[in-house]
Amino acid sequence: MKRKLLPFFLVILVISLGLTGCGKDSGEAKGQEAVKEDNTVYTMRIGALTVAPNQCVTTADEVKKELEAASNGRIKVQVYPAAQLGTAAQLLEGMQAGSVEGAIFPCSFMVSAAPIMGFVEVPGICGKDSESFCRILNADNNDCINELLNKKGLHIASMLITDRSKYMLTKKPVNKMTDVAGMKLWGFPNAYTKVLTEGMGGTSTFFDSSELSVSLQQGTIDGAMAAPTLYAPQKHYEYAKYCLEMPDFTGGNAFILGTAFLDKLPADLKDLVLKTIMDVTVGYEYDYAKTYTEGAVQTMKDNGVTFADVNDAFYAEFQEVYKPMMDIYLEVEGADQLVKKLQALSEAYYAKN
């Protein structure tokens, strides 16, 4: 009896040990896999063209603080101001290629890489000023834009409020459209800037913004079309003492991420990244931008810059110059449908505010 039963018990024992061993190995494998996933650290480099206290850099710093804490160290954010990671064009290429994770700069720079972004240059499509423009798009999580922009490997996480509109800073006063005739003006590198400048009687040029001061000083350009938050920190007012707000221009700074970066993140981290950026934008940047912009304008005034008023006649002239810009934009694939969506979002926004 014992001889016959012994092998049976040995078989049961071997099977039990085998099952226990398999279970242990499987559990360890799963545990190791989970630990490996939990311990994966994702690096998120954010490039900016400006330096603190510009809101692009301070917002990136705030996102770094909040995101690293919220992710328990699973995401490490590195902020590179002063174009350390490259120009706007280089940053866009890097995000599309996956070599750069994110960037913050004026959304006007995106037009060349993604023509659908041309709406930021056309007055009247979305919002009446920079604040309404950003609030309208962020309330939609920029979904209607990203639906098209993702095809280019780019994703707008949020829009940062910048100066109220576009401002023309010049070496001589501009009080009527004919005063612009013959001027060489720096502006964003896209067809809309060229149409606007030529429509006013000037010529358009573009180069890295770090060269603006010396170009104004040497007289190789007569002025620029940008914003006080660019003019004041770089002290462009030392060489150009006249400023004119160009009515109806909106726009803002875009907090952009590459889809290559977003796609490699686990779903929970992807959601966390997008939520943190939007929370920081709405909860921090909105108020900071207003104070910073007002300070930039005041700095220019304190340093002798005269801000001209736009009278009704001058405003009417601007409206005529703007008209061709819409026709140019509507030639872009998908632009007509996006315009309808943006105008519907605008109408809903103003109905509530």
Side-chain angles (χ1 to χ4, degrees):
M1 288 286 293
K2 288 182 180 180
R3 286 183 180 180
K4 291 181 181 180
L5 289 176
L6 183 58
F8 175 76
F9 286 122
L10 287 174
V11 170
I12 295 298
L13 179 61
V14 169
I15 292 174
S16 299
L17 289 173
L19 289 174
T20 302
C22 290
K24 182 179 180 182
D25 290 344
S26 176
E28 285 180 352
K30 289 180 180 179
Q32 289 170 356
E33 182 180 342
V35 169
K36 183 179 179 181
E37 181 180 343
D38 289 344
N39 287 342
T40 300
V41 176
Y42 297 89
T43 300
M44 180 178 171
R45 291 165 300 168
I46 304 174
L49 308 180
T50 55
V51 298
N54 182 277
Q55 67 262 43
C56 293
V57 180
T58 61
T59 300
D61 287 338
E62 195 72 13
V63 166
K64 170 182 171 63
K65 180 180 71 175
E66 296 293 333
L67 189 53
E68 287 184 346
S71 68
N72 294 318
R74 293 173 68 191
I75 295 182
K76 295 295 183 183
V77 181
Q78 299 171 354
V79 180
Y80 294 86
Q84 292 178 41
L85 288 183
T87 64
Q90 291 169 333
L91 287 169
L92 287 167
E93 290 176 2
M95 286 184 284
Q96 289 173 315
S99 58
V100 176
E101 288 71 38
I104 310 178
F105 49 70
C107 43
S108 296
F109 278 121
M110 300 180 69
V111 178
S112 57
I116 197 65
M117 288 298 297
F119 74 92
V120 304
E121 292 291 296
V122 185
I125 290 182
C126 182
K128 299 175 182 176
D129 51 40
S130 179
E131 181 173 354
S132 60
F133 172 87
C134 292
R135 288 182 182 274
I136 288 166
L137 294 176
N138 285 339
D140 183 55
N141 281 312
N142 297 283
D143 286 346
C144 63
I145 307 169
N146 286 326
E147 182 180 347
L148 301 168
L149 196 59
N150 287 172
K151 298 175 183 178
K152 297 289 186 178
L154 302 169
H155 186 96
I156 294 180
S158 71
M159 287 288 188
L160 280 62
I161 296 174
T162 184
D163 302 80
R164 186 170 63 181
S165 57
K166 188 173 289 186
Y167 291 75
M168 183 162 51
L169 182 68
T170 54
K171 298 175 75 71
K172 66 177 186 180
V174 174
N175 297 302
K176 54 185 182 300
M177 196 67 73
T178 54
D179 291 334
V180 184
M183 283 190 179
K184 189 174 184 180
L185 301 173
W186 180 93
F188 293 110
N190 57 60
Y192 305 95
T193 299
K194 187 173 186 292
V195 167
L196 175 62
T197 308
E198 292 181 352
M200 293 187 293
T203 56
S204 177
T205 187
F206 175 77
F207 42 79
D208 191 80
S209 60
S210 63
E211 301 174 23
L212 260 179
S213 290
V214 68
S215 297
L216 287 168
Q217 181 183 15
Q218 295 177 352
T220 53
I221 60 172
D222 303 295
M225 292 190 295
T229 51
L230 174 66
Y231 302 144
Q234 295 191 20
K235 298 185 178 180
H236 298 145
Y237 50 72
E238 292 182 350
Y239 315 109
K241 295 291 187 182
Y242 302 94
C243 197
L244 171 72
E245 180 179 355
M246 305 177 75
D248 291 344
F249 265 97
T250 54
N253 290 301
F255 199 129
I256 318 155
L257 299 175
T259 57
F261 167 63
L262 289 173
D263 289 345
K264 74 179 182 181
L265 293 177
D268 63 324
L269 283 187
K270 178 179 178 179
D271 292 342
L272 181 63
V273 167
L274 295 175
K275 182 180 184 303
T276 302
I277 291 174
M278 186 62 77
D279 287 349
V280 168
T281 299
V282 175
Y284 166 81
E285 194 274 339
Y286 281 4
D287 289 337
Y288 183 89
K290 181 179 180 181
T291 302
Y292 181 61
T293 299
E294 291 173 350
V297 171
Q298 190 59 51
T299 296
M300 293 174 69
K301 291 180 177 179
D302 292 343
N303 283 276
V305 175
T306 299
F307 281 75
D309 293 325
V310 179
N311 57 40
D312 291 342
F314 201 179
Y315 181 79
E317 288 183 278
F318 270 115
Q319 295 301 310
E320 290 301 312
V321 174
Y322 295 161
K323 284 182 180 179
M325 299 169 76
M326 178 65 87
D327 294 333
I328 293 173
Y329 183 60
L330 291 177
E331 293 178 0
V332 176
E333 183 180 357
D336 53 344
Q337 293 301 314
L338 181 58
V339 168
K340 291 176 183 177
K341 291 179 181 178
L342 292 174
Q343 290 180 335
L345 290 172
S346 294
E347 290 174 6
Y349 172 82
Y350 288 113
K352 295 179 179 178
N353 297 280

